[in-house]
Coordinates of all heavy atoms in Angstrom, one line a residue:
M1 N 311.8 -108.2 -109.4 CA 312.3 -106.9 -109.1 C 312.4 -106.0 -110.3 O 313.1 -106.4 -111.2 CB 313.7 -107.0 -108.4 CG 313.6 -107.5 -107.0 SD 312.8 -106.3 -105.9 CE 312.9 -107.2 -104.3
E2 N 311.7 -104.9 -110.3 CA 311.8 -104.0 -111.5 C 312.4 -102.7 -111.1 O 312.2 -101.7 -111.8 CB 310.4 -103.9 -112.1 CG 310.0 -105.1 -112.9 CD 308.6 -104.9 -113.5 OE1 308.4 -103.9 -114.1 OE2 307.7 -105.7 -113.3
G3 N 313.0 -102.6 -109.9 CA 313.5 -101.3 -109.5 C 312.5 -100.3 -109.2 O 312.6 -99.1 -109.5
R4 N 311.3 -100.7 -108.7 CA 310.3 -99.8 -108.4 C 310.5 -99.2 -107.0 O 309.8 -99.5 -106.1 CB 308.9 -100.5 -108.5 CG 308.6 -101.0 -109.8 CD 307.1 -101.3 -110.0 NE 306.6 -100.8 -111.2 CZ 305.4 -100.3 -111.4 NH1 304.6 -100.3 -110.5 NH2 305.0 -99.9 -112.6
T5 N 311.4 -98.3 -107.0 CA 311.7 -97.7 -105.7 C 310.7 -96.6 -105.4 O 310.2 -95.9 -106.3 CB 313.1 -97.0 -105.8 OG1 314.0 -97.9 -106.4 CG2 313.6 -96.7 -104.4
E6 N 310.3 -96.5 -104.2 CA 309.4 -95.4 -103.8 C 310.2 -94.1 -103.5 O 311.3 -94.2 -102.9 CB 308.7 -95.8 -102.5 CG 307.6 -96.8 -102.7 CD 306.4 -96.7 -101.7 OE1 306.7 -96.2 -100.6 OE2 305.3 -97.0 -102.1
H7 N 309.7 -93.1 -104.0 CA 310.3 -91.8 -103.8 C 309.3 -90.9 -103.1 O 308.1 -91.0 -103.3 CB 310.7 -91.1 -105.2 CG 311.7 -91.9 -105.9 ND1 313.0 -91.9 -105.7 CD2 311.5 -92.8 -106.9 CE1 313.6 -92.7 -106.5 NE2 312.7 -93.3 -107.3
C8 N 309.8 -89.9 -102.4 CA 308.9 -88.9 -101.8 C 308.8 -87.7 -102.8 O 309.7 -87.1 -103.1 CB 309.5 -88.4 -100.5 SG 308.4 -87.3 -99.6
C9 N 307.5 -87.5 -103.3 CA 307.3 -86.5 -104.2 C 307.4 -85.1 -103.6 O 306.9 -84.9 -102.5 CB 305.8 -86.7 -104.8 SG 305.3 -85.3 -105.8
I10 N 308.2 -84.2 -104.2 CA 308.4 -82.9 -103.6 C 307.2 -82.0 -103.7 O 307.1 -81.0 -103.0 CB 309.6 -82.2 -104.3 CG1 309.3 -81.9 -105.8 CG2 310.9 -82.9 -104.1 CD1 310.0 -80.7 -106.3
V11 N 306.2 -82.4 -104.5 CA 305.0 -81.5 -104.6 C 303.9 -81.9 -103.7 O 303.5 -81.1 -102.9 CB 304.5 -81.5 -106.1 CG1 303.3 -80.7 -106.2 CG2 305.6 -81.1 -107.1
C12 N 303.6 -83.2 -103.7 CA 302.5 -83.6 -102.8 C 303.0 -84.3 -101.5 O 302.3 -84.5 -100.6 CB 301.5 -84.6 -103.5 SG 302.3 -86.1 -104.0
G13 N 304.3 -84.6 -101.5 CA 304.9 -85.1 -100.3 C 304.6 -86.6 -100.0 O 304.8 -87.1 -98.9
Q14 N 304.0 -87.3 -101.0 CA 303.7 -88.7 -100.8 C 304.7 -89.6 -101.4 O 305.4 -89.2 -102.3 CB 302.3 -88.9 -101.4 CG 301.2 -88.2 -100.6 CD 299.8 -88.4 -101.2 OE1 299.6 -89.3 -102.0 NE2 298.9 -87.4 -100.9
Q15 N 304.7 -90.8 -100.9 CA 305.6 -91.8 -101.4 C 305.0 -92.4 -102.7 O 303.9 -93.0 -102.7 CB 305.8 -93.0 -100.4 CG 306.5 -92.5 -99.2 CD 308.0 -92.2 -99.4 OE1 308.6 -92.9 -100.2 NE2 308.5 -91.3 -98.6
K16 N 305.7 -92.3 -103.8 CA 305.1 -92.8 -105.1 C 306.2 -93.6 -105.8 O 307.4 -93.4 -105.6 CB 304.6 -91.7 -106.0 CG 303.7 -90.8 -105.3 CD 302.2 -91.2 -105.5 CE 301.3 -90.3 -104.8 NZ 299.9 -90.3 -105.4
T17 N 305.8 -94.5 -106.7 CA 306.7 -95.2 -107.5 C 306.8 -94.7 -109.0 O 307.8 -94.8 -109.6 CB 306.4 -96.7 -107.6 OG1 305.0 -96.8 -108.0 CG2 306.5 -97.4 -106.2
E18 N 305.7 -94.1 -109.4 CA 305.6 -93.6 -110.8 C 305.9 -92.1 -110.8 O 305.2 -91.3 -110.1 CB 304.2 -93.9 -111.4 CG 303.8 -95.3 -111.4 CD 304.4 -96.1 -112.5 OE1 304.7 -95.5 -113.6 OE2 304.7 -97.3 -112.4
G19 N 306.8 -91.7 -111.6 CA 307.1 -90.3 -111.8 C 308.5 -90.1 -112.4 O 309.1 -91.0 -112.9
M20 N 309.0 -88.9 -112.2 CA 310.3 -88.6 -112.8 C 311.2 -87.9 -111.7 O 310.7 -87.3 -110.8 CB 310.1 -87.6 -114.0 CG 309.5 -86.3 -113.7 SD 309.4 -85.3 -115.1 CE 308.6 -83.8 -114.4
V21 N 312.5 -88.1 -111.9 CA 313.5 -87.6 -111.0 C 314.3 -86.5 -111.7 O 314.8 -86.7 -112.8 CB 314.4 -88.6 -110.5 CG1 315.4 -88.0 -109.5 CG2 313.6 -89.7 -109.7
I22 N 314.3 -85.3 -111.2 CA 315.1 -84.2 -111.7 C 316.0 -83.7 -110.6 O 315.6 -83.3 -109.6 CB 314.2 -83.0 -112.2 CG1 313.0 -83.5 -113.1 CG2 315.0 -82.0 -112.9 CD1 312.0 -82.4 -113.4
V23 N 317.3 -83.8 -110.9 CA 318.3 -83.3 -110.0 C 318.0 -83.9 -108.6 O 317.9 -83.2 -107.6 CB 318.4 -81.8 -109.9 CG1 319.8 -81.4 -109.8 CG2 317.7 -81.1 -111.0
N24 N 317.8 -85.2 -108.5 CA 317.6 -85.9 -107.3 C 316.3 -85.6 -106.6 O 316.1 -86.0 -105.5 CB 318.8 -85.7 -106.3 CG 320.1 -86.2 -106.9 OD1 320.1 -87.2 -107.5 ND2 321.1 -85.4 -106.6
Q25 N 315.4 -84.8 -107.3 CA 314.1 -84.5 -106.7 C 313.1 -85.2 -107.5 O 313.1 -85.2 -108.7 CB 313.9 -83.0 -106.8 CG 314.9 -82.1 -106.1 CD 314.8 -82.2 -104.6 OE1 313.8 -82.5 -104.0 NE2 315.9 -82.0 -103.9
F26 N 312.2 -85.8 -106.8 CA 311.2 -86.7 -107.4 C 309.8 -85.9 -107.6 O 309.3 -85.3 -106.6 CB 311.0 -88.0 -106.6 CG 309.9 -88.9 -107.2 CD1 310.2 -89.7 -108.3 CD2 308.7 -88.9 -106.6 CE1 309.2 -90.5 -108.8 CE2 307.7 -89.8 -107.1 CZ 307.9 -90.6 -108.2
I27 N 309.2 -86.0 -108.7 CA 307.9 -85.5 -108.9 C 307.0 -86.7 -109.4 O 307.4 -87.3 -110.5 CB 307.8 -84.4 -110.0 CG1 308.7 -83.2 -109.5 CG2 306.4 -83.9 -110.2 CD1 308.8 -82.1 -110.6
C28 N 306.0 -87.0 -108.8 CA 305.2 -88.2 -109.2 C 304.4 -87.8 -110.4 O 304.1 -86.6 -110.7 CB 304.2 -88.6 -108.0 SG 302.8 -87.5 -107.7
S29 N 304.0 -88.9 -111.2 CA 303.3 -88.7 -112.4 C 302.0 -87.9 -112.2 O 301.6 -87.2 -113.1 CB 303.1 -90.0 -113.1 OG 302.5 -90.9 -112.3
G30 N 301.3 -88.1 -111.1 CA 300.1 -87.4 -110.8 C 300.3 -85.9 -110.8 O 299.6 -85.1 -111.4
C31 N 301.3 -85.5 -110.0 CA 301.6 -84.1 -109.9 C 302.1 -83.5 -111.2 O 301.8 -82.4 -111.6 CB 302.6 -83.9 -108.8 SG 302.0 -84.2 -107.1
E32 N 302.9 -84.3 -111.9 CA 303.4 -83.9 -113.2 C 302.2 -83.5 -114.1 O 302.2 -82.5 -114.8 CB 304.3 -85.0 -113.8 CG 305.0 -84.5 -115.0 CD 305.5 -85.7 -115.8 OE1 305.6 -86.8 -115.3 OE2 305.7 -85.5 -117.0
Q33 N 301.2 -84.4 -114.2 CA 300.1 -84.2 -115.0 C 299.3 -83.0 -114.6 O 298.8 -82.2 -115.4 CB 299.2 -85.5 -115.0 CG 299.7 -86.6 -115.8 CD 299.9 -86.2 -117.3 OE1 299.0 -85.8 -118.0 NE2 301.1 -86.4 -117.8
E34 N 299.1 -82.9 -113.3 CA 298.4 -81.7 -112.7 C 299.0 -80.4 -113.1 O 298.4 -79.4 -113.5 CB 298.3 -81.9 -111.2 CG 296.9 -82.4 -110.8 CD 296.5 -82.0 -109.4 OE1 296.2 -80.8 -109.3 OE2 296.6 -82.8 -108.5
M35 N 300.4 -80.4 -113.0 CA 301.1 -79.2 -113.3 C 300.9 -78.8 -114.8 O 300.7 -77.6 -115.1 CB 302.6 -79.4 -113.0 CG 302.9 -79.0 -111.6 SD 304.7 -78.9 -111.4 CE 305.0 -80.6 -111.1
V36 N 301.0 -79.8 -115.6 CA 300.8 -79.6 -117.1 C 299.5 -78.9 -117.3 O 299.3 -78.1 -118.2 CB 301.0 -80.9 -117.8 CG1 300.6 -80.7 -119.3 CG2 302.5 -81.4 -117.7
H37 N 298.5 -79.4 -116.6 CA 297.1 -78.9 -116.9 C 296.7 -77.8 -116.0 O 295.5 -77.3 -116.1 CB 296.1 -80.1 -116.7 CG 296.3 -81.2 -117.7 ND1 296.8 -82.5 -117.4 CD2 296.3 -81.2 -119.1 CE1 296.9 -83.2 -118.5 NE2 296.6 -82.4 -119.5
T38 N 297.5 -77.3 -115.1 CA 297.2 -76.2 -114.2 C 297.3 -74.9 -115.0 O 298.4 -74.6 -115.5 CB 298.0 -76.2 -113.0 OG1 297.8 -77.4 -112.3 CG2 297.7 -75.1 -112.0
D39 N 296.3 -74.1 -114.9 CA 296.3 -72.8 -115.6 C 297.2 -71.8 -114.7 O 297.2 -71.9 -113.5 CB 294.9 -72.3 -115.7 CG 294.9 -71.1 -116.7 OD1 294.8 -71.3 -117.9 OD2 295.0 -69.9 -116.2
V40 N 297.8 -70.9 -115.4 CA 298.6 -69.9 -114.7 C 297.8 -69.1 -113.6 O 298.2 -68.7 -112.6 CB 299.3 -68.9 -115.7 CG1 300.2 -67.9 -114.9 CG2 300.0 -69.7 -116.7
K41 N 296.5 -69.0 -114.0 CA 295.6 -68.2 -113.1 C 295.0 -69.1 -111.9 O 294.4 -68.6 -111.0 CB 294.4 -67.7 -113.9 CG 294.8 -66.5 -114.7 CD 293.7 -66.1 -115.7 CE 293.9 -66.8 -117.0 NZ 292.9 -66.5 -118.0
D42 N 295.3 -70.4 -112.0 CA 294.9 -71.3 -110.9 C 295.5 -71.0 -109.6 O 296.7 -70.6 -109.6 CB 295.1 -72.7 -111.4 CG 294.3 -73.7 -110.6 OD1 294.6 -73.8 -109.3 OD2 293.4 -74.4 -111.1
D43 N 294.8 -71.2 -108.5 CA 295.3 -70.9 -107.2 C 296.5 -71.8 -106.9 O 297.4 -71.5 -106.1 CB 294.3 -71.1 -106.1 CG 293.3 -70.0 -106.1 OD1 293.6 -68.9 -106.7 OD2 292.2 -70.1 -105.5
K44 N 296.5 -73.0 -107.5 CA 297.6 -74.0 -107.2 C 298.9 -73.7 -107.9 O 299.9 -74.2 -107.6 CB 297.1 -75.4 -107.6 CG 296.2 -76.0 -106.5 CD 295.9 -77.4 -106.9 CE 295.0 -77.5 -108.1 NZ 294.6 -78.9 -108.4
Y45 N 298.8 -72.9 -109.0 CA 300.0 -72.6 -109.8 C 301.2 -72.1 -109.0 O 302.3 -72.6 -109.2 CB 299.6 -71.7 -111.0 CG 300.6 -71.7 -112.0 CD1 300.7 -72.7 -113.0 CD2 301.5 -70.6 -112.1 CE1 301.7 -72.7 -114.0 CE2 302.5 -70.6 -113.1 CZ 302.6 -71.7 -114.0 OH 303.5 -71.6 -115.0
P46 N 301.0 -71.0 -108.2 CA 302.1 -70.5 -107.4 C 302.7 -71.5 -106.6 O 304.0 -71.5 -106.3 CB 301.5 -69.4 -106.6 CG 300.2 -69.0 -107.3 CD 299.7 -70.3 -107.9
F47 N 301.9 -72.5 -106.1 CA 302.5 -73.5 -105.2 C 303.4 -74.4 -106.0 O 304.5 -74.8 -105.6 CB 301.3 -74.3 -104.6 CG 301.7 -75.6 -103.9 CD1 302.3 -75.5 -102.7 CD2 301.5 -76.8 -104.5 CE1 302.7 -76.7 -102.0 CE2 301.9 -78.0 -103.9 CZ 302.5 -77.9 -102.6
Y48 N 303.0 -74.8 -107.2 CA 303.8 -75.6 -108.1 C 305.1 -74.9 -108.4 O 306.2 -75.5 -108.4 CB 303.1 -76.0 -109.3 CG 302.0 -77.0 -109.1 CD1 300.7 -76.9 -109.7 CD2 302.2 -78.1 -108.3 CE1 299.7 -77.8 -109.5 CE2 301.2 -79.0 -108.1 CZ 299.9 -78.9 -108.7 OH 298.9 -79.8 -108.5
V49 N 305.0 -73.6 -108.8 CA 306.1 -72.8 -109.2 C 307.1 -72.8 -108.0 O 308.3 -72.9 -108.2 CB 305.7 -71.4 -109.6 CG1 306.9 -70.5 -109.7 CG2 304.9 -71.5 -110.9
H50 N 306.6 -72.6 -106.8 CA 307.4 -72.5 -105.6 C 308.2 -73.8 -105.4 O 309.4 -73.8 -105.2 CB 306.6 -72.2 -104.4 CG 307.3 -72.3 -103.1 ND1 308.2 -71.3 -102.7 CD2 307.4 -73.3 -102.2 CE1 308.7 -71.6 -101.6 NE2 308.3 -72.8 -101.2
Q51 N 307.5 -75.0 -105.6 CA 308.1 -76.3 -105.4 C 309.2 -76.5 -106.5 O 310.3 -77.0 -106.2 CB 307.1 -77.4 -105.5 CG 306.0 -77.3 -104.4 CD 306.6 -77.6 -103.0 OE1 307.6 -77.0 -102.6 NE2 306.0 -78.5 -102.3
L52 N 308.9 -76.1 -107.7 CA 309.8 -76.3 -108.8 C 311.0 -75.4 -108.7 O 312.1 -75.7 -109.2 CB 309.1 -76.1 -110.2 CG 308.2 -77.3 -110.5 CD1 307.4 -76.9 -111.8 CD2 308.9 -78.6 -110.7
K53 N 310.8 -74.2 -108.1 CA 311.9 -73.3 -108.0 C 313.1 -73.9 -107.3 O 314.3 -73.6 -107.5 CB 311.5 -72.1 -107.2 CG 311.4 -70.8 -108.1 CD 311.0 -69.6 -107.3 CE 310.5 -68.5 -108.2 NZ 309.8 -67.5 -107.5
R54 N 312.8 -74.8 -106.3 CA 313.8 -75.5 -105.6 C 314.7 -76.3 -106.6 O 315.9 -76.5 -106.4 CB 313.2 -76.4 -104.5 CG 312.3 -75.5 -103.6 CD 312.1 -76.2 -102.3 NE 311.6 -77.6 -102.4 CZ 310.8 -78.1 -101.5 NH1 310.4 -77.5 -100.5 NH2 310.3 -79.3 -101.7
L55 N 314.0 -76.9 -107.6 CA 314.8 -77.7 -108.6 C 315.6 -76.8 -109.4 O 316.8 -77.1 -109.7 CB 313.8 -78.4 -109.5 CG 312.9 -79.5 -108.9 CD1 312.1 -80.1 -110.0 CD2 313.8 -80.5 -108.2
W56 N 315.1 -75.7 -109.9 CA 315.9 -74.8 -110.7 C 317.1 -74.2 -110.0 O 318.2 -74.1 -110.5 CB 315.0 -73.6 -111.2 CG 313.7 -73.9 -111.8 CD1 312.6 -73.2 -111.7 CD2 313.3 -75.1 -112.6 NE1 311.5 -73.8 -112.4 CE2 312.0 -74.9 -113.0 CE3 314.0 -76.2 -113.1 CZ2 311.3 -75.9 -113.7 CZ3 313.4 -77.1 -113.8 CH2 312.0 -77.0 -114.2
L57 N 316.9 -74.0 -108.7 CA 318.0 -73.4 -107.9 C 319.1 -74.5 -107.8 O 320.3 -74.1 -107.9 CB 317.5 -73.1 -106.5 CG 316.7 -71.8 -106.4 CD1 316.1 -71.6 -105.0 CD2 317.5 -70.6 -106.8
Q58 N 318.8 -75.7 -107.7 CA 319.8 -76.8 -107.7 C 320.4 -77.0 -109.0 O 321.6 -77.3 -109.1 CB 319.1 -78.1 -107.3 CG 318.8 -78.1 -105.8 CD 318.6 -79.5 -105.3 OE1 319.2 -80.5 -105.8 NE2 317.8 -79.7 -104.2
L59 N 319.7 -76.7 -110.1 CA 320.3 -76.8 -111.4 C 321.3 -75.8 -111.6 O 322.3 -76.0 -112.3 CB 319.2 -76.6 -112.5 CG 318.3 -77.9 -112.8 CD1 317.2 -77.5 -113.7 CD2 319.1 -78.9 -113.5
Q60 N 321.1 -74.6 -111.1 CA 322.1 -73.5 -111.3 C 323.3 -73.7 -110.3 O 324.3 -73.0 -110.6 CB 321.4 -72.2 -111.0 CG 320.4 -71.9 -112.1 CD 319.4 -70.8 -111.7 OE1 319.5 -70.2 -110.6 NE2 318.5 -70.4 -112.5
A61 N 323.1 -74.4 -109.3 CA 324.2 -74.6 -108.3 C 325.4 -75.2 -108.9 O 325.3 -76.1 -109.7 CB 323.7 -75.3 -107.1
Ligands
ZN101 ZN1 303.1 -85.8 -106.2

């Protein structure tokens, strides 16, 4: 047992074990990498920003 709990990624919505948890919200390592490499002009960028906004809102609460 290594505590490999499955979490539901808030970005892709899939169950993953690898990733990071911010304010009880999980982002899988795959999405984290994609976000890092996504250009601001990329079509996917607004989607990531939208998903992350939910985290920022919780941080401010
Ligand atoms: Zn993901």
